[in-house]
């Protein structure tokens, strides 16, 4: 059974679906894409609802998004998810984009409607739901620090925080110059939050973080074996909420340190789950796949699937 397809496999239905009971009608596009957990939650949700569709992984080379979209449309695909590095190209390849996706400049969910290819971004809203689900609090009124705010995930989360009405935003990034355009964008969107932008070696970093209710890691620090915690323990205090968008490993150095400090912690599995649920609902309005997807993700991330 094929684990990863390429654009070339989107030539004809007969070959794409040979040996399968269900037609491929949804996909996640990435480069690379073999690691994507999306099929592990979307396929069980499709199956549970009796939808006659297969969700596949599709490896698309940089620059190949328009052709992949055209081929999927021609084959009658319902839609797709888009992951790194294609979220910006995906916006350009859509006929219409939801205001949230347009504001961010990135699309992670696409629906092939009869009259148009429509783009959405469920990363930010998925993050807001993850925080509510994991910590029982809404983002509105919180003071939030984002470590790695200059990356793709960081910008999506910063925009969502602003949209959700946080009281304060502390944006931290290794390269400070990436934060200027982000701050301008947040201001332009009408955010009234108090926004600070700093680098990791700013002398006020610890004090700024201690002043926050929620600390989020959106950097890639913690993904690799031997990585340090992205923030030192002087930045953390008991009772603070600490969220790491990384979910593999499930306990990153930052989360281990935060737990030892008496913080409340959670990892990026909940954001993956909720952005997936919101994407599914763009394809199938009114569906409620949350518990099926949650069970499938927990099952597969504990190594049982
Ligand atoms: P994306 O594709 O989502 O934009 P990325 O470019 O790999 O991902 O960057 C993710 C984030 O991790 C960025 O904020 C990056 O910081 P820079 O903007 O300065 O590159 C951050 N990051 C990566 N390695 C880092 C490190 N060793 N220390 C601190 N931040 C790091």
């Amino acid at each position: 059974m094929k684990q990863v397809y390429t654009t070339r496999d989107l030539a004809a239905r007969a070959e794409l679906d040979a040996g399968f009971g269900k037609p491929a009608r949804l996909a996640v596009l990435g480069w690379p894409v073999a690691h994507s957990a999306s099929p592990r939650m979307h396929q069980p949700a499709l199956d549970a609802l009796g939808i006659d569709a297969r969700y596949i992984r599709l490896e698309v080379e940089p620059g190949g998004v328009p052709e992949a979209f055209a081929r999927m449309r021609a084959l009658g695909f319902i839609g797709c998810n888009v992951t790194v590095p294609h979220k910006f190209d995906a916006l350009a390849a859509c006929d219409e984009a939801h205001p949230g996706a347009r504001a961010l400049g990135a699309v992670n969910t696409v629906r092939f409607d009869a009259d148009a290819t429509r783009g959405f971004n469920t990363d930010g809203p998925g993050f807001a739901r993850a925080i509510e689900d994991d910590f029982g609090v809404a983002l509105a009124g919180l003071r939030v620090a984002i470590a790695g705010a200059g990356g793709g995930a960081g910008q999506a989360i910063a925009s969502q925080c602003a949209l959700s009405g946080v009281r304060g935003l502390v944006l931290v990034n290794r390269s400070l110059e990436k934060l200027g355009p982000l701050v301008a964008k947040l201001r332009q969107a009408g955010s009234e939050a108090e926004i600070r932008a700093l680098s990791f070696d700013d002398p006020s970093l610890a004090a700024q973080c201690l002043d926050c209710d929620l600390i989020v890691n959106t950097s890639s620090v913690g993904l690799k074996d031997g990585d340090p915690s992205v923030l030192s323990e002087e930045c953390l205090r008991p009772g603070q909420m600490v969220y790491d968008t990384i979910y593999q490993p499930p306990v990153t150095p930052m989360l281990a340190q935060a737990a030892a400090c008496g913080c409340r912690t959670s990892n990026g599995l909940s954001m993956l789950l909720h952005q997936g649920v919101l994407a599914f609902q763009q394809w199938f309005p009114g569906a409620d796949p949350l518990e099926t997807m949650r069970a499938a993700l927990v099952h597969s991330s504990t190594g049982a699937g």
Side-chain angles (χ1 to χ4, degrees):
M1 194 190 290
K2 219 168 176 158
Q3 289 299 312
V4 175
Y5 292 79
T6 67
T7 312
R8 277 192 305 280
D9 295 315
L10 298 176
R13 266 268 159 233
E15 283 139 50
L16 181 62
D17 296 332
F20 290 98
K22 296 179 177 183
R25 298 186 68 204
L26 290 159
V28 53
L29 274 65
W31 174 267
V33 78
H35 65 281
S36 171
S38 290
R40 299 206 310 255
M41 57 177 172
H42 283 291
Q43 192 64 55
L46 292 168
D47 295 345
L49 290 167
I51 297 168
D52 187 30
R54 222 160 82 242
Y55 185 108
I56 62 170
R57 293 184 177 88
L58 189 64
E59 192 171 74
V60 174
E61 288 178 25
V65 171
E67 188 190 348
F69 279 12
R71 289 189 179 215
M72 282 191 282
R73 276 198 78 91
L75 289 174
F77 271 61
I78 298 162
C80 64
N81 285 128
V82 181
T83 187
V84 179
H86 295 314
K87 294 185 185 186
F88 308 104
D89 287 0
L91 175 71
C94 285
D95 303 313
E96 285 177 23
H98 186 267
R102 195 162 290 289
L104 205 58
V107 154
N108 80 331
T109 302
V110 172
R111 198 176 63 219
F112 299 116
D113 292 332
D115 62 332
T117 295
R118 295 196 164 84
F120 307 87
N121 198 310
T122 66
D123 287 331
F127 171 75
R129 289 200 181 188
I131 295 301
E132 280 174 28
D133 203 2
D134 295 348
F135 297 123
V137 297
L139 287 173
L142 295 184
R143 286 158 304 184
V144 184
I146 302 175
Q155 296 197 29
I157 287 175
S159 297
Q160 184 63 41
C161 284
L163 201 69
S164 298
V166 298
R167 182 157 20 129
L169 261 180
V170 176
L171 306 176
V172 192
N173 208 52
R174 179 177 56 180
S175 13
L176 195 54
E177 68 272 12
K178 284 199 192 163
L179 295 179
L182 174 60
V183 173
K185 207 159 72 173
L186 298 176
R187 289 267 176 254
Q188 214 172 18
S191 174
E192 289 174 4
E194 185 187 321
I195 303 175
R196 303 234 166 98
L198 34 141
S199 65
F200 286 98
D201 49 19
D202 192 293
S204 75
L205 177 68
Q208 304 266 5
C209 288
L210 288 173
D211 209 28
C212 285
D213 310 293
L214 170 65
I215 309 261
V216 187
N217 176 36
T218 57
S219 81
S220 49
V221 181
L223 267 176
K224 289 195 304 283
D225 243 6
D227 272 357
S229 170
V230 71
L231 292 171
S232 67
E233 64 182 353
E234 293 84 68
C235 297
L236 305 172
R237 60 174 165 79
Q240 223 168 11
M241 296 174 279
V242 178
Y243 191 89
D244 201 324
T245 57
I246 294 171
Y247 56 87
Q248 197 52 258
V251 183
T252 59
M254 183 179 82
L255 290 184
Q257 187 180 56
C261 275
C263 302
R264 303 169 68 198
T265 61
S266 187
N267 74 21
L269 208 60
S270 52
M271 182 173 167
L272 174 73
L273 168 67
H274 286 285
Q275 65 75 30
V277 168
L278 292 168
F280 196 91
Q281 290 170 334
Q282 290 296 347
W283 304 321
F284 307 105
D288 185 10
L290 176 63
E291 293 314 325
T292 306
M293 284 187 169
R294 193 198 302 274
L297 264 191
V298 168
H299 184 72
S300 58
S301 69
T302 52

